[in-house]
Amino acid sequence: MVDVALQSDALGSAEAATRAAVLDRLRLGDAVFRSLTRAAAFAVLLLLSGVIVSLFIGALPAIRQFGLGFLISQQWNPVSDTFGGLAPIYGTIITSFIAMLIAVPVGLMIAFFLTELCPQWLRRPIGIAIELLAGIPSIIYGIWGLFIFAPFLQQTLQPFLIDTLGNVPLIAPLFAGPPFGIGMLTAGLILAIMVLPFITSISRDVFEAVPPVLKEAAYGVGCTTWEVVRHVVLPYARVGVIGGVMLALGRALGETMAVTFVIGNAHRISASLLAPGTTISAVIANEFTEAVSTLYTSSLIELGLILFVITFVVLAIARYLLLRIERRIG
Amino acid sequence: MAVRYAVRRHRNTTATVLALVATAIGLGWLVLILGSLLWHGFSGLSLSVFTQMTPAPDSAGGLLNPIVGSLIITALAVAIGTPIGMLAGTYMAEYGRYDRASSVIRFVNDILLSAPSIVVGLFIYQVVVAPMGHFSALAGGVALAVLVIPVVVRTTEDMLRLVPNSLREAASSIGLPRYLTITNICYRAARAGMVTGVLLAVARISGETAPLLFTSLNNQFWNVNLNAPTASLPVVIFLFALSPYKEWQALAWTGALIITLAVLALSIIARTLAASKGQS
């Protein structure tokens, strides 16, 4: 009895020691892993601030030199080292505007089709096909736009627009000039195709989240399918749809390669949508490696900073709206 | 009364037709793009594309060095971005699930997810290329890693959140410390989803051009040195497509086809993985 007790005691202390050692190791492991994950999580925050700070530092020479005039000057002259960002900023806004003008109604109509009209067995394949559009790399849109879409527009849509809308008072200047094929309109159209899937898939998700009771009640009082969508589904899903649209807008603003191929890269602001122009991202993509003077590089970085700030605000609004709808659904 | 009904029915028909047209436009565009890609890409597809280097103007050649360069840069990006992304996602789903910091990080991460990639290129130029003094595959890899991180963070967090808490509680009840619970239980349960996230990230970056333009630049010759400028498929497509040479343009189409097929294959694999996970 005594023997056994002694033995177990001896064993116990040895066991306790190893047990403590193991526990210490585990505790250490936990602390290490915890701080490791925490560091990685904060690295994400650091990334965002790093982008802003580094771009700001890079843009400082240009900011010092040109001040706020950078935003309203159209001058872009590497020879005399004077730079103003108005033309690319204007191009970015106009091309994105054209893109949204087309992609929002088309995207919403596709979402309407997918949620209300489409037979059940076709919904998944069509949904996936539309989402594949989002998966195609932007450079593919670029090369397709340059070789296929732009010549096509040059021969068909653009002469048509010039002959018809080009003669309508007030909007005539928008469609003046020869059909180049490439230009603001082409870039806007390509962007529209690219952001379409974002609008469609988010709208579809929020449309599907509308409580069936609401729709059934509307059908019950005799509404047509369109009336249900227009007066019940759309108002209910409004916040989510706007969130999706803003997300798509963020994409359109920052899209580079597809636009660079078809915009024409002309540093001027023309009233005509058919004329070549440029966007912030296209200028940076085209000229950054060629920029020799500090001021040139710095001006391009300032453009990048402006682009980042604009998209940041747009995306932040989008995320905020989508977060709100998520909370309501979840 | 009858007139009003007719008007309403008419409107409904119009809307239905418009919805059909919109869907046809969307699908038609996909078909058009893929069709012309296959048409132009396949004609140039041959073995020499995979065995020869990019040619000088006006001569035949292949895409071997940009293909290898793209693989190297992508591998670098995944190697750098995945661990950081997974750890960050782990923190947000496990340790810091109810932290305020986590929701801030989630918000920032979602913004980074759709931030313009060209700005990422500028950022890496500022912090990597400029101090090093030259363009390199390494810089390209880091730039793409910045794009990988948000995708992986997002999917890791989402997938870990789907792991039922009862699993964690069971692990804790037999005395498993938190980190072993996460690595041995949660990761295992969420594995398919996390792999899907990495695949999606690879699909996302394999077509990215803008961040590579002034990080890894381009290289006409064979190069596997991480510290030297390296060709990548997207950048070569960009340069060749805009060149006046027919051979280069043909190679650009073929390269575009290769990238698209790779990206589509990756997303289909990712989708199937996610779908099979969802059923079990």
Side-chain angles (χ1 to χ4, degrees):
Chain A
M1 213 44 201
V2 172
D3 227 358
V4 172
L6 269 179
Q7 218 175 22
S8 84
D9 224 1
L11 227 171
S13 69
E15 218 170 42
T18 42
R19 194 183 156 83
V22 167
L23 276 180
D24 274 350
R25 216 177 58 226
L26 294 182
R27 228 171 262 135
L28 183 73
D30 216 17
V32 167
F33 193 67
R34 187 195 164 93
S35 30
L36 210 63
T37 58
R38 202 184 161 83
F42 280 90
V44 173
L45 282 183
L46 211 67
L47 213 56
L48 182 80
S49 34
V51 170
I52 297 173
V53 169
S54 79
L55 288 185
F56 186 75
I57 291 172
L60 259 184
I63 294 174
R64 280 214 192 93
Q65 180 77 21
F66 306 117
L68 281 177
F70 189 82
L71 297 175
I72 48 165
S73 160
Q74 252 201 82
Q75 280 267 337
W76 189 267
N77 192 339
V79 181
S80 65
D81 242 6
T82 44
F83 300 99
L86 189 61
I89 294 171
Y90 170 83
T92 300
I93 292 170
I94 295 295
T95 48
S96 301
F97 182 73
I98 297 173
M100 301 321 284
L101 209 61
I102 296 161
V104 171
V106 175
L108 283 178
M109 285 315 258
I110 297 179
F112 164 43
F113 177 79
L114 283 176
T115 51
E116 302 295 328
L117 302 172
C118 186
Q120 202 70 42
W121 58 273
L122 252 179
R123 285 184 190 186
R124 232 178 101 76
I126 293 185
I128 289 177
I130 298 288
E131 275 163 28
L132 277 187
L133 272 177
I136 297 176
S138 68
I139 183 119
I140 309 299
Y141 284 97
I143 187 169
W144 181 78
L146 178 69
F147 289 120
I148 314 265
F149 195 49
F152 171 76
L153 287 181
Q154 186 175 22
Q155 279 154 19
T156 54
L157 182 68
Q158 292 190 348
F160 171 75
L161 287 176
I162 294 168
D163 290 341
T164 52
L165 293 178
N167 298 321
V168 180
L170 282 179
I171 59 167
L174 285 177
F175 301 98
F180 287 105
I182 53 176
M184 302 281 243
L185 182 67
T186 314
L189 287 174
I190 297 252
L191 282 178
I193 310 169
M194 295 187 69
V195 298
L196 188 65
F198 294 96
I199 297 176
T200 298
S201 66
I202 290 180
S203 315
R204 185 194 54 194
D205 292 349
V206 289
F207 281 8
E208 274 172 355
V210 176
V213 206
L214 287 183
K215 287 195 279 186
E216 281 156 14
Y219 281 122
V221 296
C223 285
T224 62
T225 314
W226 170 245
E227 282 164 348
V228 170
V229 170
R230 175 71 192 73
H231 299 290
V232 178
V233 174
L234 211 52
Y236 189 89
R238 194 181 50 221
V239 179
V241 168
I242 297 173
V245 168
M246 295 298 267
L247 200 65
L249 179 61
R251 286 275 166 164
L253 288 168
E255 179 45 50
T256 309
M257 294 328 288
V259 174
T260 309
F261 272 97
V262 295
I263 190 83
N265 305 309
H267 266 285
R268 57 165 184 268
I269 297 176
S270 7
S272 174
L273 296 178
L274 306 181
T278 194
T279 67
I280 295 177
S281 47
V283 172
I284 301 172
N286 270 317
E287 301 181 20
F288 195 77
T289 42
E290 292 160 17
V292 274
S293 74
T294 321
L295 212 52
Y296 196 174
T297 313
S298 172
S299 302
L300 288 170
I301 294 178
E302 185 175 352
L303 279 179
L305 182 65
I306 293 169
L307 175 65
F308 190 66
V309 171
I310 297 174
T311 46
F312 185 92
V313 172
V314 169
L315 291 172
I317 296 172
R319 287 299 170 192
Y320 173 72
L321 293 175
L322 290 175
L323 216 64
R324 258 179 56 188
I325 196 109
E326 254 169 46
R327 276 201 200 117
R328 202 166 71 189
I329 295 169
Chain B
M1 212 51 188
V3 176
R4 283 192 59 185
Y5 279 137
V7 167
R8 284 174 58 197
R9 206 175 301 133
H10 188 71
R11 230 176 247 160
N12 190 42
T13 318
T14 318
T16 309
V17 170
L18 280 179
L20 273 170
V21 169
T23 313
I25 290 176
L27 293 177
W29 239 311
L30 181 71
V31 172
L32 269 178
I33 292 176
L34 291 182
S36 51
L37 201 58
L38 287 173
W39 178 258
H40 290 270
F42 256 121
S43 57
L45 203 59
S46 66
L47 197 64
S48 63
V49 169
F50 300 98
T51 54
Q52 291 180 16
M53 306 292 149
T54 44
D58 269 331
S59 55
L63 292 167
L64 179 62
N65 49 333
I67 290 175
V68 172
S70 269
L71 290 177
I72 292 175
I73 295 172
T74 309
L76 265 175
V78 171
I80 300 169
T82 310
I84 299 179
M86 281 197 176
L87 287 173
T90 306
Y91 179 79
M92 286 153 66
E94 299 285 341
Y95 289 112
R97 187 180 283 205
Y98 304 103
D99 269 13
R100 237 191 120 56
S102 289
S103 46
V104 174
I105 295 171
R106 190 170 311 124
F107 194 76
V108 165
N109 188 63
D110 280 348
I111 288 177
L112 283 176
L113 201 61
S114 13
S117 56
I118 187 127
V119 171
V120 172
L122 282 179
F123 166 60
I124 297 302
Y125 178 86
Q126 286 286 100
V127 299
V128 180
V129 178
M132 279 173 72
H134 57 87
F135 302 101
S136 64
L138 195 63
V142 175
L144 292 187
V146 174
L147 300 174
V148 168
I149 291 173
V151 181
V152 175
V153 169
R154 183 70 193 265
T155 43
T156 306
E157 197 207 347
D158 287 353
M159 290 304 134
L160 286 178
R161 274 170 178 267
L162 288 180
V163 174
N165 261 333
S166 50
L167 279 182
R168 293 190 185 92
E169 285 155 9
S172 291
S173 73
I174 57 164
L176 215 58
R178 199 84 182 267
Y179 80 103
L180 287 178
T181 309
I182 295 170
T183 50
N184 288 349
I185 311 288
C186 300
Y187 279 173
R188 205 164 285 181
R191 190 167 48 198
M194 288 162 71
V195 172
T196 305
V198 176
L199 287 177
L200 285 178
V202 175
R204 160 104 201 265
I205 59 168
S206 49
E208 275 293 350
T209 320
L212 295 178
L213 285 173
F214 24 85
T215 50
S216 64
L217 203 69
N218 192 16
N219 193 334
Q220 212 193 319
F221 306 104
W222 174 257
N223 171 51
V224 287
N225 180 0
L226 294 186
N227 209 13
T230 305
S232 59
L233 215 37
V235 173
V236 167
I237 294 174
F238 176 54
L239 295 175
F240 280 15
L242 287 172
S243 79
Y245 311 109
K246 282 275 165 275
E247 288 86 356
W248 279 16
Q249 291 180 0
L251 275 178
W253 274 112
T254 309
L257 178 67
I258 295 173
I259 288 193
T260 311
L261 291 182
V263 169
L264 291 186
L266 277 170
S267 16
I268 288 169
I269 295 171
R271 241 171 229 293
T272 357
L273 253 180
S276 67
K277 181 70 196 162
Q279 276 162 10
S280 65

